[in-house]
């Protein structure tokens, strides 16, 4: 219909799309179209606003003094010179990883290059954006993420593509932004599961960024206080022969800031009131008296995970999913956190008519309500996806916390990452034990990262911080590692377990998933895929039996999965290319949908 008068897309963008198509087993057209801004794919592109008159640029904000560790990390990257070199920047929370990024970006701009800085979540972009913009006011910084309007995303994409923007800051999709003079890639919080796309082409932005850096011949820095075990193995495991160079920041960057003291509260001995132990409540009272802030961390939003009838055993189950409806008391709704289905709270039990139905368990709303009763004089702020649905609401919340307009914060993992609240000195962790016994081999890794991140919010300035973890299993080795802030010991024990089991990074996996109105259809489709005769030509690949997924029903569809595993990545890739073609040829019921995920995170 029309030829777009865009500057030509660069050759390396095509190579990147071709790599993703081959590796993640996705059609090339789908890969290319999903990486382009929507405004570029329309015949009536969104109207460009007239450019605002240029304001006088403020002077760049001064760079703080570097610590000895920061200077050593910088020197190591600089000494490696131009060309592809992956670095893992392992720095405790508050150690000043961002300052290292800013210095490396400054080097890149001085040499006339563009820098790409990836962050896991949109919530982390506002304060990082402000810091980068203050340091480099003339660099033409743009951000790329899903909450931008169509016109803004197109405008920012074009600024990156034309080279006008010298720094691009964005979430996972920004890894595909065409950058003609790309000279540096930084992935902050590289361990974060948000870098993995969960629909369409299921790619990992971190892994794609490493491929892109190698293809372009530029350095890449992956930063984290709790690196993914794959990255840690690449930097430290003898069999990986130092694929990544390890840079370490062990001390906090603020001179008198110390890592918080972590203490376990044994719930077998301590009585808890509404899920909070006396020790934790006392610690909150002390902070209130001193005018400091406390954070109670519970990674479960809503009022209670389930509503139940004590007379007949009825529980509030979702009609469309194999999950319970969560009670949201403020909105007077029962809501499914998986498919979004919601309904009014019943006045009586739907099966036996008993009016005495109770909430069981607790979410952030219930904790907030209890703390309001317990500390009526305190200003309490809840920070979860219900309290901050948009970026604007989130920024307003963070501003309130910074301004000291809250004494007690009740929050989910939204508050755990990247935020710097100088007056926050106490973190109480509630309900973390469930992840210790999950079926997923990555659950302990995720829990450890979450605990270290949330603990890292305490005592980042000159006031000392304290972290109290409530648990029924105080002797668990994971908690011992958290108490000692000892990520290397935790990672070593996890990698030893994974090596024995042949799990990543010592084995490579793909997952074929199918969903249909009937579980029998999904399992039959997977069984047909497993029985493909061509599999015999790939002895290094193991196909497991099809099984229902842990959340077996979602949005009225029954879901099954089939795990494929191999000790060799090339062997797995060779198998997947042929197998996908065979799977595409299987005759299946019209309402059955399937997808193939490479390197699944769950």
């Amino acid at each position: 219909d029309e030829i777009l008068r865009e500057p030509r897309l660069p050759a390396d963008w095509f190579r990147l799309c071709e790599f993703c198509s081959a590796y993640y087993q996705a059609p090339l057209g789908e890969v290319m179209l999903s990486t382009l801004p929507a405004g570029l794919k329309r015949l009536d592109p969104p109207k460009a606003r007239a450019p605002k008159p240029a304001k006088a640029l403020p002077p760049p904000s001064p760079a703080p003094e570097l610590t000895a560790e920061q200077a050593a990390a910088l020197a190591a990257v600089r000494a490696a010179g131009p060309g592809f070199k992956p670095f893992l920047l392992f720095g405790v929370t508050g150690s000043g990883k961002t300052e290292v990024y800013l210095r490396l970006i400054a080097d890149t701009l001085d040499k006339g290059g563009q820098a790409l800085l990836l962050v896991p979540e949109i919530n982390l972009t506002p304060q990082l954006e402000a810091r980068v913009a203050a340091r480099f006011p003339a660099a033409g910084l743009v951000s790329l993420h899903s909450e931008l309007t169509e016109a803004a995303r197109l405008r920012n994409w074009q600024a990156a593509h034309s080279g006008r923007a010298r720094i691009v800051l964005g979430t996972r999709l920004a890894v595909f932004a065409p950058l003609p003079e790309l000279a540096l890639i930084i992935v902050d919080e590289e361990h974060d599961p948000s870098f993995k796309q969960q629909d369409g082409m299921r790619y990992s932005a971190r892994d794609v960024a490493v491929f892109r850096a190698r293809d372009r011949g530029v350095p890449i820095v992956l930063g984290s206080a709790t690196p993914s075990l794959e990255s840690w193995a690449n930097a430290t495991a003898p069999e990986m022969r130092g694929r990544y160079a390890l840079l370490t920041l062990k001390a906090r960057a603020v001179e008198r800031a110390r890592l918080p003291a972590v203490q376990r509260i044994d719930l077998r001995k301590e009585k808890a009131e509404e899920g909070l132990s006396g020790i934790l409540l006392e610690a909150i009272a002390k902070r209130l008296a001193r005018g400091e802030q406390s954070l109670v961390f519970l990674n479960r939003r809503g009022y209670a995970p389930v509503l139940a009838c004590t007379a007949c055993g009825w529980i509030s189950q979702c009609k469309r999913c194999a999950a319970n409806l969560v009670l949201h008391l403020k909105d007077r709704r029962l809501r499914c956190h998986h498919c979004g289905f919601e309904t009014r709270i019943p006045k009586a039990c739907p099966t036996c008519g008993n009016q005495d139905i109770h909430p069981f368990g607790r979410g952030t709303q219930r904790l907030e309500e209890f703390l309001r009763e317990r500390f009526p004089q305190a200003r309490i702020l809840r920070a979860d996806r219900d309290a901050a649905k948009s970026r604007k609401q989130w920024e307003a919340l963070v501003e309130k916390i910074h301004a000291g307009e809250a004494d007690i914060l009740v929050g989910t993992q939204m508050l755990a990452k990247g935020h710097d609240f100088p007056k926050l000195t106490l973190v109480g962790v509630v309900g973390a034990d469930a992840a210790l016994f999950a079926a997923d081999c990555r659950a302990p890794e995720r829990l450890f990262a979450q605990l270290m991140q949330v603990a890292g919010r305490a005592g980042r300035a000159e006031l000392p911080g304290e972290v109290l973890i409530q648990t029924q299993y105080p002797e668990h080795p994971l908690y011992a590692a958290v108490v000692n802030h000892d990520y290397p010991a935790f990672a070593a024990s996890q990698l030893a377990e994974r090596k024995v089991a042949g799990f990543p990074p010592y084995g490579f996996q793909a997952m074929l998933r199918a969903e249909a109105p009937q579980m029998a259809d999904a399992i039959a489709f997977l069984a047909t895929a497993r029985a493909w005769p061509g599999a015999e030509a790939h002895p290094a690949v193991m196909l497991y039996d099809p099984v229902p997924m842990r959340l077996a029903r979602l949005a009225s569809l029954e879901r099954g999965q089939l795990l494929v595993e191999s000790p060799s990545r090339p062997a797995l890739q060779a198998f997947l290319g042929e197998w996908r073609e065979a799977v595409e040829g299987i005759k299946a019921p019209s309402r059955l949908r399937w997808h193939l995920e490479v390197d699944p995170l769950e």
Side-chain angles (χ1 to χ4, degrees), residues 514-516 519 522 547-549 551-554 557-561:
E515 53 183 40
M519 181 63 83
V547 292
M549 286 176 66
L551 184 64
R553 190 168 78 255
L554 177 68
L557 291 172
E558 305 279 339
R559 313 190 306 158
Q561 64 182 33

Side-chain angles (χ1 to χ4, degrees), residues 71-85 87 104 107 111 219 245 247:
L74 262 176
V77 180
R78 286 169 176 162
F84 171 64
K85 182 75 186 168
F87 295 91
L104 291 171
D107 290 356
K111 291 177 189 148
L247 312 169

Side-chain angles (χ1 to χ4, degrees), residues 446-465:
R446 280 199 283 266
L447 175 61
F448 185 87
Q450 215 171 60
L451 292 176
M452 291 301 282
Q453 291 290 339
V454 77
R457 298 314 106 214
R460 290 171 74 93
E462 297 185 356
L463 300 168

Side-chain angles (χ1 to χ4, degrees), residues 166 169 171 269 280 283 295 298 337-338 340 395 405 526 570:
R166 307 311 289 169
L169 169 62
T171 50
K269 297 173 186 163
L280 178 54
L295 162 62
L298 170 64
H337 287 180
H338 297 281
E395 285 176 28
E405 290 170 27
L526 296 171

Side-chain angles (χ1 to χ4, degrees), residues 239-515:
E239 55 272 50
M240 305 297 184
R241 294 186 292 281
R243 284 181 191 161
Y244 293 178
L246 181 64
L247 312 169
T248 308
L249 306 177
K250 290 181 185 155
R252 290 198 145 174
V254 174
E255 200 177 327
R256 291 212 289 281
R258 295 283 170 270
L259 284 171
V262 182
Q263 186 188 330
R264 288 159 285 193
I265 298 172
D266 188 345
L267 287 182
R268 296 169 306 184
K269 297 173 186 163
E270 280 290 324
K271 228 178 90 186
E273 197 181 341
E274 271 296 337
L276 300 178
S277 64
I279 296 173
L280 178 54
L281 290 168
E282 206 177 299
I284 292 172
K286 277 184 189 163
R287 296 315 186 284
L288 281 172
R290 296 205 297 251
E292 294 167 13
Q293 291 173 326
S294 308
L295 162 62
V296 180
F297 175 76
L298 170 64
N299 210 16
R300 188 186 289 131
R301 62 197 172 91
Y303 184 84
V306 67
L307 192 64
C309 170
T310 46
C312 74
W314 170 85
I315 58 172
S316 57
Q317 282 186 316
C318 178
K319 291 187 172 87
R320 299 163 51 180
C321 301
N324 295 329
L325 294 174
V326 176
L327 174 63
H328 284 251
L329 207 55
K330 270 211 169 115
D331 315 334
R332 310 287 307 155
R333 310 293 279 172
L334 288 169
R335 199 171 283 149
C336 177
H337 287 180
H338 297 281
C339 72
F341 171 78
E342 58 177 74
T343 181
R344 282 201 308 256
I345 297 172
K347 289 191 168 63
C349 171
T351 54
C352 74
N354 171 29
Q355 297 202 332
D356 196 16
I357 49 178
H358 291 287
F360 279 86
R362 59 193 55 80
T364 46
Q365 290 178 9
R366 190 169 183 171
L367 274 189
E368 177 192 19
E369 184 180 277
F370 170 69
L371 288 165
R372 282 191 195 286
E373 288 167 18
R374 185 63 187 254
F375 303 109
Q377 77 285 18
R379 296 164 300 171
I380 296 172
L381 200 61
R382 178 165 50 83
D384 58 24
R385 292 230 180 275
D386 298 317
K389 290 189 170 82
S390 70
R391 177 170 160 162
K392 269 214 168 72
Q393 288 173 318
W394 176 247
E395 285 176 28
L397 257 176
V398 171
E399 218 161 277
K400 260 188 169 172
I401 301 169
H402 271 292
E405 290 170 27
D407 303 310
I408 303 173
L409 315 174
V410 180
T412 59
Q413 61 181 12
M414 282 178 86
L415 266 184
K417 301 168 192 167
H419 300 291
D420 209 333
F421 305 128
K423 287 178 75 177
L424 182 68
T425 59
L426 173 71
V427 171
V429 177
V430 182
D433 285 345
L436 296 175
F437 307 103
D440 193 333
C441 76
R442 284 190 174 83
E445 178 185 359
R446 280 199 283 266
L447 175 61
F448 185 87
Q450 215 171 60
L451 292 176
M452 291 301 282
Q453 291 290 339
V454 77
R457 298 314 106 214
R460 290 171 74 93
E462 297 185 356
L463 300 168
E466 185 181 15
V467 179
L468 302 177
I469 299 173
Q470 298 191 160
T471 173
Q472 303 266 7
Y473 308 95
E475 57 289 310
H476 196 285
L478 184 143
Y479 291 135
V482 173
V483 167
N484 298 320
H485 299 278
D486 195 350
Y487 172 80
F490 168 75
S493 71
Q494 287 289 306
L495 285 171
E497 281 180 25
R498 293 215 190 160
K499 196 171 187 178
V500 172
F503 286 155
Y506 301 104
F508 303 93
Q509 298 177 330
M511 189 75 86
L512 180 65
R513 296 195 181 95
E515 53 183 40

Side-chain angles (χ1 to χ4, degrees), residues 180-200:
E181 286 152 343
L182 179 64
L184 171 71
I185 301 177
I186 295 166
V187 183
D188 190 26
E189 308 289 8
E190 65 86 29
H191 67 278
D192 199 293
S194 305
F195 280 123
K196 187 81 159 67
Q197 173 77 12
Q198 292 300 342
D199 51 30

Side-chain angles (χ1 to χ4, degrees), residues 88 90 190 227-237 246 487-488 491-492 495:
L88 178 61
F90 164 53
E190 65 86 29
S228 63
L229 290 178
E230 287 83 354
S231 297
W232 186 253
N234 275 329
T236 62
L246 181 64
Y487 172 80
L495 285 171

